[in-house]
């Protein structure tokens, strides 16, 4: 969302989404980072799902469908900010995709993570071994692994759970009213 680049609208790639569906059909549990484009992901029955614009460069662009990888049977994860809302509730990170197409939110802002020794994001060395680097990173790519980890623990206790069963359990047991919302998400 910068003045230099304009708005960024993600796109769907059919071959990628087909691969995700085939993995789920094979019993693989899939968590997808929702994305960090500040936009709403609607569901097919939603009023904004078919919103689009036509570009002379890109053709028709649907901008409330989310991007690939995507599958409605996968668990789509948004990012919770590291700061608490003034009302005392957790709050969605401003950059995180939002809306009914995001199934669950997890902490994903200001997460210390391992990183390459050659990346520009390196902020320091790992305290126990200076050969390794760490960085402070934020986004849905940091939130999604946390949900994946919780899912892995649940699967350890119930290894025969299907992707649909695990997704339903995680959504049913998350704290839905602990996140501040403007009502426009």
């Amino acid at each position: 969302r910068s003045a230099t680049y304009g708005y960024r609208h993600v796109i769907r790639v059919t071959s990628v989404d087909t691969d995700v569906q085939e993995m789920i059909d094979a019993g693989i549990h899939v968590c997808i980072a929702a994305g960090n484009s500040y936009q709403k992901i609607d569901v097919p029955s939603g009023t904004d799902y078919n919103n689009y614009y036509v570009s002379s460069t890109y053709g028709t662009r649907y901008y409330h469908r989310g991007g690939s990888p995507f599958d409605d049977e996968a668990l789509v994860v948004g990012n919770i900010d590291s700061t608490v809302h003034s009302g005392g509730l957790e709050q969605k990170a401003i950059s995180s995709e939002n809306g009914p197409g995001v199934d669950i939110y997890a902490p994903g802002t200001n997460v210390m993570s391992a990183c390459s020794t050659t990346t520009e994001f390196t902020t320091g060395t790992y305290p126990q071994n200076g050969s390794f680097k760490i960085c402070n990173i934020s986004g849905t790519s940091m939130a999604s692994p946390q949900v994946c980890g919780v899912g892995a623990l649940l699967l350890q206790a119930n290894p025969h759970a299907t992707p649909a069963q695990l997704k339903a359990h995680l959504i049913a047991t998350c704290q839905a009213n602990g996140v501040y919302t403007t009502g426009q998400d």
Side-chain angles (χ1 to χ4, degrees):
R1 280 185 119 170
S2 73
T4 307
Y5 298 107
Y7 287 97
R8 183 179 113 181
H9 294 117
V10 296
I11 60 169
R12 295 265 182 93
V13 179
T14 304
S15 62
V16 172
D17 295 348
T18 299
D19 290 342
V20 173
Q21 181 62 57
E22 288 174 355
M23 290 189 313
I24 292 170
D25 291 346
I28 298 171
H29 300 263
V30 178
C31 284
I32 295 173
N36 306 301
S37 296
Y38 305 80
Q39 297 169 16
K40 176 181 182 177
I41 301 175
D42 207 350
V43 293
S45 60
T47 58
D48 291 323
Y49 186 77
N50 287 318
N51 290 352
Y52 70 92
Y53 65 92
V54 178
S55 162
S56 60
T57 305
Y58 303 110
T60 301
R61 300 292 296 264
Y62 292 91
Y63 54 90
H64 284 308
R65 293 185 176 184
S68 291
F70 182 82
D71 190 282
D72 60 350
E73 295 180 72
L75 197 58
V76 179
V77 183
N79 176 16
I80 291 290
D81 202 344
S82 59
T83 59
V84 176
H85 183 264
S86 61
L89 296 174
E90 300 283 353
Q91 63 183 348
K92 176 189 76 67
I94 191 168
S95 64
S96 179
E97 306 300 62
N98 59 79
V102 177
D103 297 309
I104 194 168
Y105 290 88
T109 301
N110 294 322
V111 175
M112 291 306 292
S113 180
C115 62
S116 165
T117 57
T118 61
T119 180
E120 69 268 18
F121 299 111
T122 301
T123 56
T125 57
Y126 183 67
Q128 282 74 25
N129 185 334
S131 298
F132 299 101
K133 302 296 180 184
I134 58 175
C135 62
N136 181 322
I137 192 166
S138 300
T140 59
S141 292
M142 293 286 95
S144 184
Q146 295 198 54
V147 173
C148 186
V150 170
L153 291 171
L154 291 169
L155 286 170
Q156 186 176 16
N158 186 6
H160 301 294
T162 66
Q165 291 169 330
L166 181 64
K167 178 179 177 176
H169 179 76
L170 285 168
I171 292 171
T173 57
C174 71
Q175 186 178 353
N177 53 353
V179 178
Y180 171 76
T181 178
T182 62
Q184 298 173 350
D185 295 347

